[in-house]
């Protein structure tokens, strides 16, 4: 602290009142400009000095002064930190106090002489010390607030830029996705007609419409027929995915004997099951309520469950198909003792095109849309999916359908899933 002395006179203020008034100024301030302009003006007025100023050690903040029209040339930290108080007496400076918190230097508080020309006494210098310490803390807090605001501004700018880039990328992806959906829809429609014809002609040959066939020929034709059936189902799946994307996926509910429908699908996979040396068992319930379901889509769901169970089960194993009524719901379960699903893959199973790693290795030709469509069909009937699995021990897939809601015909011709 640097000072000089003049005449002695009792000040007309109380120290605690001054501290309280200036503390309120610091608390109310929202930025450094507001803080120092208000603080220094009040400082000059209450303490009755000719001027008061602050010079900063950093190069980012300009000096502030109250009581003078212009900022004097000597009001900078380098000049103030190098001279003795006597060097500044001719400028009317009564005291220069360092502004610092712990080891961090902030700048200097410069206080001018009293207006009445009286000497600034020891107790007043003690007050100045207190005020300088308080101001130091307030300025350091304001610096931190400035830094937070600057970081927040930069972060907001970066977020805005990233958001803009994401929007542009999203638009491009949406355009690509629309193009892909259009292609899948067009290709599926174009493939469906010739595949249906191939399947029909193979069926006619197997039934003897083109003449008698030998056992080896029948075996080859049956394999070709099964492959054509699988291709037809695959094309139907892709068409349904396309319809989902365009909002044209309709659930057309009609009266269905679900118990008999399951029996028919189990019979349809008999040849495939025999090829994989897997036995599919189903004990058909003697009585089962008639439900209003989308026959074609429910068949696809059940076929997908059984087909997966066969392909992912080891040879000489059994796949169990169970249909029951539980708590007012029609419950289908397809239970296998196959490879199962890992815990990490469980969360993603049923999302479009997702396939677990072990499923890819076991069946490279899968598409990853079967369970995705099954979930949509089941939910379109107001039901929920059943999925239980343990890696290396097998899986259970199925659904629960609300009997009360599906016992009556739909109010409309169809409903969107």
């Amino acid at each position: 602290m640097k000072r000089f002395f003049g005449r002695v006179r009792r000040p007309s203020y109380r120290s605690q009142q001054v501290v309280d008034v200036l503390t309120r100024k610091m608390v109310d301030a929202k930025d450094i400009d507001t803080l120092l302009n208000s603080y220094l003006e009040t400082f000059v007025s209450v303490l009755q000095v000719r001027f008061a100023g602050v010079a900063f050690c950093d190069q980012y903040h300009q000096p502030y002064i109250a009581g003078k029209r212009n900022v004097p040339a000597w009001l900078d930290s380098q000049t103030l930190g190098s001279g003795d108080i006597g060097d500044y007496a001719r400028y009317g400076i009564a005291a220069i106090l360092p502004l610092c918190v712990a080891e961090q230097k902030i700048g200097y508080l410069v206080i001018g002489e009293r207006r009445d020309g009286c000497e600034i006494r020891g107790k007043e210098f003690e007050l100045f010390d207190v005020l300088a310490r308080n101001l130091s803390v307030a300025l350091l807090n304001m610096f931190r607030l400035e830094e937070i605001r600057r970081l927040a501004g930069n972060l907001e700018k970066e977020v805005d830029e990233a958001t803009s880039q994401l929007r542009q990328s999203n638009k491009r992806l949406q355009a690509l996705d629309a193009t892909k959906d259009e292609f899948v829809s067009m290709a599926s429609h174009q493939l469906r007609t010739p595949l249906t014809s191939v399947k029909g002609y193979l069926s006619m040959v197997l039934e003897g419409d083109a003449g008698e066939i030998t056992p080896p020929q029948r075996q080859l034709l049956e394999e070709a027929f099964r492959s054509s059936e699988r291709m037809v189902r695959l094309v139907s799946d892709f068409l349904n995915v396309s319809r989902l994307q365009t909002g044209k996926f309709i659930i057309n509910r009609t009266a269905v004997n679900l118990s008999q429908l399951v029996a028919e699908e189990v019979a349809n996979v008999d040849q495939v099951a025999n090829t994989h040396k897997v036995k599919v068992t189903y004990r058909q319930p003697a009585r089962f309520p008639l439900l209003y379901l989308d026959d074609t889509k429910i068949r696809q769901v059940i076929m997908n469950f059984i087909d997966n169970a066969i392909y992912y089960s080891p040879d000489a194993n059994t796949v169990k198909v169970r249909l029951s009524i539980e708590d007012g719901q029609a419950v289908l379960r397809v239970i296998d003792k196959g490879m199962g699903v890992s815990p990490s893959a469980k969360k993603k199973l049923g999302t479009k095109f997702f396939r677990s790693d072990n499923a890819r290795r076991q069946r490279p030709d899968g598409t990853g849309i079967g369970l995705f469509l099954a979930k949509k069909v089941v939910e379109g009937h107001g039901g929920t999916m059943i999925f239980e699995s343990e890696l290396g021990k097998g899986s259970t897939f199925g659904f629960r359908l609300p009997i009360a809601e599906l016992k009556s015909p739909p109010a409309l011709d169809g409903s969107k899933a």
Side-chain angles (χ1 to χ4, degrees), residues 2 4 51 73-96 110-111 113:
K2 303 174 182 179
F4 70 87
F51 63 85
W74 48 260
L75 190 59
D76 70 85
S77 59
Q78 222 173 1
T79 304
L80 294 171
S82 62
D84 185 81
I85 187 65
D87 297 335
Y88 302 106
R90 58 195 177 101
Y91 299 120
I93 300 174
I96 302 173
V110 183
I111 304 170
E113 298 171 343

Side-chain angles (χ1 to χ4, degrees), residues 45-210:
S45 174
V46 173
L47 295 173
Q48 300 172 23
V49 294
R50 296 187 185 280
F51 63 85
V54 170
F56 292 99
C57 291
D58 63 52
Q59 58 183 342
Y60 305 109
H61 297 93
Q62 297 297 318
Y64 291 78
I65 193 164
K68 285 182 176 290
R69 286 188 177 182
N70 301 312
V71 177
W74 48 260
L75 190 59
D76 70 85
S77 59
Q78 222 173 1
T79 304
L80 294 171
S82 62
D84 185 81
I85 187 65
D87 297 335
Y88 302 106
R90 58 195 177 101
Y91 299 120
I93 300 174
I96 302 173
L97 297 99
L99 297 172
C100 58
V101 177
E103 299 294 324
Q104 186 167 351
K105 292 182 179 179
I106 297 172
Y108 294 93
L109 172 63
V110 183
I111 304 170
E113 298 171 343
R114 289 177 57 86
R115 291 176 190 165
D116 56 15
C118 293
E119 174 192 349
I120 296 178
R121 301 187 309 161
K123 285 194 175 294
E124 290 179 275
F125 280 108
E126 290 175 7
L127 173 60
F128 293 164
D129 279 333
V130 171
L131 295 176
R133 286 197 296 272
N134 290 349
L135 181 59
S136 298
V137 173
L139 287 171
L140 183 61
N141 288 339
M142 201 60 72
F143 286 170
R144 288 170 178 167
L145 182 60
E146 275 188 341
E147 181 67 13
I148 290 170
R149 285 172 176 165
R150 185 184 65 78
L151 290 173
N154 290 341
L155 182 61
E156 185 177 4
K157 183 180 178 182
E158 289 174 6
V159 168
D160 288 343
E161 290 176 355
T163 301
S164 176
Q165 291 174 0
L166 282 172
R167 282 181 183 146
Q168 292 175 4
S169 299
N170 192 40
K171 286 180 181 178
R172 289 195 292 270
L173 286 172
Q174 286 176 341
L176 288 171
D177 199 44
T179 303
K180 178 205 68 180
D181 290 338
E182 185 180 351
F183 170 77
V184 168
S185 177
M186 179 185 66
S188 299
H189 276 293
Q190 294 298 322
L191 286 170
R192 193 173 193 179
T193 301
L195 280 171
T196 303
S197 297
V198 169
K199 180 183 172 183
Y201 287 131
L202 286 170
S203 177
M204 290 171 64
V205 173
L206 285 168
E207 290 171 0
D209 293 349

Side-chain angles (χ1 to χ4, degrees), residues 357-377:
D357 291 337
N358 57 353
R360 290 177 185 274
R361 289 192 294 270
Q362 178 72 13
R363 193 178 184 183
D365 61 339
T367 60
I369 60 174
L371 290 177
F372 169 74
L373 285 172
K375 187 171 184 288
K376 296 295 183 181
V377 171

Side-chain angles (χ1 to χ4, degrees), residues 28-46:
D28 294 340
K30 302 300 182 186
D31 54 60
I32 288 181
D33 284 337
T34 306
L35 169 63
L36 288 178
N37 286 329
S38 175
Y39 183 92
L40 294 175
E41 286 175 6
T42 305
F43 191 104
V44 168
S45 174
V46 173

Side-chain angles (χ1 to χ4, degrees), residues 160-328:
D160 288 343
E161 290 176 355
T163 301
S164 176
Q165 291 174 0
L166 282 172
R167 282 181 183 146
Q168 292 175 4
S169 299
N170 192 40
K171 286 180 181 178
R172 289 195 292 270
L173 286 172
Q174 286 176 341
L176 288 171
D177 199 44
T179 303
K180 178 205 68 180
D181 290 338
E182 185 180 351
F183 170 77
V184 168
S185 177
M186 179 185 66
S188 299
H189 276 293
Q190 294 298 322
L191 286 170
R192 193 173 193 179
T193 301
L195 280 171
T196 303
S197 297
V198 169
K199 180 183 172 183
Y201 287 131
L202 286 170
S203 177
M204 290 171 64
V205 173
L206 285 168
E207 290 171 0
D209 293 349
E212 189 176 347
I213 56 175
T214 65
Q217 289 173 332
R218 177 172 293 280
Q219 184 178 356
L220 293 173
L221 288 168
E222 284 176 346
E223 184 61 37
F225 182 77
R226 286 194 295 272
S227 295
S228 68
E229 274 192 320
R230 183 174 180 277
M231 284 298 296
V232 169
R233 288 201 304 271
L234 187 61
V235 168
S236 295
D237 284 347
F238 279 120
L239 277 173
N240 284 328
V241 169
S242 177
R243 288 166 185 152
L244 274 169
Q245 297 296 114
T246 56
K248 297 177 181 178
F249 189 71
I250 306 297
I251 300 294
N252 293 309
R253 291 167 51 199
T254 57
V256 173
N257 183 338
L258 184 59
S259 172
Q260 181 59 31
L261 185 150
V262 174
E264 291 171 5
E265 292 308 306
V266 169
N268 286 339
V269 299
D270 187 56
Q271 294 257 1
V272 176
N274 290 336
T275 302
H276 288 80
K277 299 178 182 178
V278 173
K279 184 179 181 181
V280 181
T281 65
Y282 170 61
R283 184 180 297 174
Q284 186 173 351
R287 298 176 63 185
F288 206 84
L290 201 66
L291 301 177
Y292 283 84
L293 310 171
D294 188 317
D295 183 286
T296 302
K297 291 183 176 63
I298 286 292
R299 283 182 185 275
Q300 285 180 300
V301 170
I302 295 170
M303 177 61 74
N304 179 267
F305 291 159
I306 300 174
D307 193 50
N308 283 345
I310 292 170
Y311 272 91
Y312 298 130
S313 290
D315 291 348
N317 212 323
T318 299
V319 172
K320 298 177 182 178
V321 181
R322 298 288 181 263
L323 182 65
S324 60
I325 296 175
E326 300 174 11
D327 300 325

